[in-house]
């Protein structure tokens, strides 16, 4: 997409010229306010609820309701940071429907020639034939950059795939995101935000294959001939690895780590018929901190966060009627399928995610799903509720995550 078309798209969304260049996480004045003006403010943003975890060291985080898109609380939501492998959510959302999962592909040396040195790998070998399903298992479970590059070459090459991912990000209104490579590896200028990563997860989870892959704990992977080896999902809250207990109700979505980005994580969990999304980026602690802080935020969301009023909104894709945010409607009772205009929409499908056997998920007729054609909403700029003070300089205690 030419720069002129990007500028016109951003102008239509009400961005200033200052928002066009790539910015750093601390460049708060330059970030877009897609989703609501409060999401660009400094400090913890929360309304109508208390008890947001204090011992958070992440440079950015966000908690949202998956069904309504309401952002319940956030910190530096639009801060532009290296995404690591959480960017693979956008890769999957862009390519997942392009190939039948039963299709077979024989890998060549050329498919693996442009993988960055030091990448995470699932162990793909040239000359071996894989199904598309197995390649996606390599992407989601092992975060394999080799699987990403094979799928990208099947799609016509890395450059074509990057361009399609960038176009997809702009359609999703994920304007903090700049894609340089399809795998999320450290590259100059490759950035995203907690807000954008949560958008990717929310939209991706609408797809049954996406849900199935991100919630799969283990799978048998081809090793040549009739031999296989087992691969395990690297999401520690899903598998309970590295001293962490599994998080009750977790349904994915994607974790990531690079030496530049540190740890990043976007997760989703369902309890009591309610599905919450959480993204945590760059905590200043050990490798378990990103999971511990994500779990703490989910605990808050399912508990005290139940009374929270929206501080922003996860907007709809432009291709599905997404529009510039306006004032939010009153909070609806559980089970309502009314749109922002107050009318029930025939295109709204009420369903929630619930974990099923073998890492897949059943669709339950509970709660309200208002993704299709739902008007993008957010908190009016006139809102002047006082934010809770940020406490991100306090280090998180490591080594605890009990099974609930």
């Amino acid at each position: 997409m030419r720069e002129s078309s990007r500028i016109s798209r951003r102008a239509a969304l009400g961005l200033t010229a200052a928002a066009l260049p790539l910015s750093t996480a601390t460049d708060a004045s330059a970030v877009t306010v897609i989703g609501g003006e409060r999401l660009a403010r400094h400090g913890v943003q929360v309304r109508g609820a208390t008890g947001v975890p204090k011992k958070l060291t992440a440079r950015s985080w966000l908690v949202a309701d998956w069904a309504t898109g309401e952002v319940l609380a956030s910190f530096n939501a639009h801060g532009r940071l290296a995404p690591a492998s959480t960017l693979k959510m956008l890769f999957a959302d862009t390519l997942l429907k392009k190939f039948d999962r039963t299709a077979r592909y024989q890998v060549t040396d050329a498919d693996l020639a442009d993988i960055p040195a030091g990448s995470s790998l699932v162990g793909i070998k040239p000359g071996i034939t894989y199904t598309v399903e197995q390649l996606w298992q390599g992407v989601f479970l092992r975060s394999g950059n080799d699987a990403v590059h094979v799928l990208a070459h099947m799609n016509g090459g890395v450059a074509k795939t990057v361009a399609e991912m960038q176009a997809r990000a702009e359609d999703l209104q994920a304007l903090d995101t700049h894609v340089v490579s399809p795998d999320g590896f450290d590259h100059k200028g490759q950035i995203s935000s907690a807000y954008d990563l949560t958008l990717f997860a929310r939209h991706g989870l609408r797809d049954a294959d996406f849900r199935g892959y991100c919630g799969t704990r283990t799978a048998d992977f081809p090793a040549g001939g009739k031999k296989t080896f087992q691969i395990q999902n690297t999401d520690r809250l899903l598998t309970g690895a590295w001293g962490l207990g599994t998080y009750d109700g977790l349904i994915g979505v994607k974790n990531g780590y690079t030496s530049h980005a540190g740890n990043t994580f976007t997760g989703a969990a369902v309890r009591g018929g309610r599905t919450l999304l959480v993204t945590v980026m760059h905590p200043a602690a050990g490798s378990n901190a990103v999971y511990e802080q994500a779990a703490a935020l989910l605990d808050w969301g399912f508990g005290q966060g139940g009374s929270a009023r929206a501080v922003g909104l996860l907007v709809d894709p432009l291709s599905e009627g997404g529009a510039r945010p306006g004032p939010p409607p009153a909070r609806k009772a559980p089970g309502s399928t009314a749109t922002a205009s107050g009318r029930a929409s025939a295109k709204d499908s009420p369903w929630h995610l619930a974990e099923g056997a073998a890492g897949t998920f059943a669709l339950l007729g509970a709660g309200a799903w208002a993704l299709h054609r739902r008007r993008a909403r957010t908190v009016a700029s006139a809102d002047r509720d006082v934010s809770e003070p940020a406490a991100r300089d306090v280090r998180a205690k490591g080594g605890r995550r009990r099974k609930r």
Side-chain angles (χ1 to χ4, degrees), residues 4 36 40 76 123 162 197 303 308 320 353 400:
S4 60
N76 196 23
V162 166
L197 294 177
E320 297 180 12
L353 293 174
R400 65 178 182 89

Side-chain angles (χ1 to χ4, degrees), residues 15-341:
L15 276 72
T16 64
L20 296 176
L22 300 180
S23 68
T24 66
T26 58
D27 194 4
S29 64
V31 297
T32 165
V33 292
I34 293 294
E37 177 270 336
R38 286 191 64 148
L39 300 184
R41 296 184 192 176
H42 289 294
V44 175
Q45 303 301 313
V46 65
R47 303 170 68 227
T50 59
V52 174
K54 300 298 183 182
K55 297 179 180 180
L56 300 175
T57 63
R59 295 175 65 187
S60 178
W61 55 261
L62 183 147
V63 183
D65 187 295
W66 177 76
T68 65
E70 292 177 339
V71 177
L72 307 181
S74 69
F75 175 79
N76 196 23
H78 282 295
R80 296 174 176 180
L81 299 163
S85 287
T86 48
L87 192 65
K88 290 181 171 77
M89 293 187 294
L90 176 61
F91 173 75
D93 192 56
T94 304
L95 266 65
L96 200 54
K97 289 306 182 186
K98 289 198 171 193
F99 312 107
D100 188 281
R101 64 188 299 156
T102 62
R104 300 173 67 81
Y105 181 79
Q106 186 176 43
V107 175
T108 68
D109 288 312
D111 295 328
L112 305 174
D114 51 4
I115 300 172
S119 289
S120 56
L121 305 172
V122 66
I124 290 176
K125 303 296 183 184
I128 296 179
T129 298
Y130 301 85
T131 65
V132 167
E133 179 178 24
Q134 289 165 341
L135 293 173
W136 282 116
Q137 287 172 342
V139 172
F140 277 93
L141 275 68
R142 295 301 304 172
S143 206
N145 288 1
D146 45 358
V148 169
H149 281 255
V150 171
L151 287 163
H153 281 279
M154 291 172 62
N155 188 52
V158 170
K160 178 176 181 288
T161 300
V162 166
E164 290 179 358
M165 289 173 64
Q166 189 65 59
R168 185 62 176 146
E170 294 186 11
D171 177 60
L172 293 171
Q173 304 195 61
L175 301 186
D176 299 321
T177 297
H178 180 68
V179 183
V180 178
S181 71
D183 48 40
F185 197 76
D186 289 339
H187 290 279
K188 185 177 180 180
Q190 182 145 275
I191 54 173
S192 191
S193 67
Y195 182 86
D196 285 9
L197 294 177
T198 311
L199 279 182
F200 302 153
R202 187 185 188 219
H203 194 265
L205 285 169
R206 295 167 61 179
D207 182 84
D209 287 336
F210 188 104
R211 295 194 303 272
Y213 289 133
C214 75
T216 300
R217 290 171 171 79
T218 62
D220 292 328
F221 202 77
K226 295 183 179 181
K227 296 181 179 179
T228 63
F229 61 95
Q230 188 181 83
I231 58 175
Q232 185 182 60
N233 201 311
T234 56
D235 180 346
R236 299 179 190 179
L237 290 182
L238 188 69
T239 63
W242 293 85
L244 290 174
T246 57
Y247 189 86
D248 184 28
L250 194 81
I251 53 177
V253 179
K254 191 71 189 74
N255 58 322
Y257 172 81
T258 66
S259 56
H260 174 58
N263 288 281
T264 59
F265 177 72
T266 296
V270 59
R271 289 185 185 176
R274 189 185 194 197
T275 303
L276 295 183
L277 298 164
V278 63
T279 294
V280 175
M281 302 184 74
H282 301 215
S287 61
N288 276 343
V290 72
Y291 302 104
E292 292 173 338
Q293 293 179 32
L297 286 166
L298 285 171
D299 283 346
W300 173 82
F302 287 120
Q304 291 168 286
S307 64
R309 292 180 289 159
V311 295
L313 190 87
L314 300 177
V315 296
D316 289 343
L318 295 173
S319 59
E320 297 180 12
R324 187 177 176 182
R331 192 173 180 88
K332 301 179 183 66
S336 170
T337 57
T339 63
S341 65

